[in-house]
Amino acid sequence: MSTARIGRTSFALDFQVRALDDTGERTVTCDCRTVYVVIAVDGSGKQEIPALIHNALGDPEPLMPLRP
């Protein structure tokens, strides 16, 4: 898992599943990206990513190319 992107109200995490093949080498079996949007608990809509989460995400290092 890796942080792919951090915006003002959302962030994306990349996930990669790897398995050992018959020769003992690791092969990638699945790549995926999930985008998370931070919303207010009162239902008023999106809000900025809290500093605690922003800091925990670290610097983005995408596992897959970012799309515009």
Side-chain angles (χ1 to χ4, degrees), residues 8-68:
R8 193 177 66 77
T9 61
S10 66
F11 59 94
L13 299 180
D14 283 349
F15 299 89
Q16 193 173 70
V17 178
R18 302 174 191 153
L20 293 177
D21 64 16
D22 293 339
T23 67
E25 291 202 32
R26 288 179 195 247
T27 59
V28 176
T29 60
C30 176
D31 284 316
C32 66
R33 175 172 290 148
T34 304
V35 177
Y36 298 87
V37 178
V38 179
I39 59 169
V41 295
D42 64 4
S44 61
K46 297 187 291 185
Q47 65 180 27
E48 290 196 25
I49 299 171
L52 179 68
I53 294 173
H54 195 283
N55 294 337
L57 291 169
D59 293 330
E61 294 183 26
L63 297 175
M64 302 181 299
L66 293 174
R67 294 183 182 168

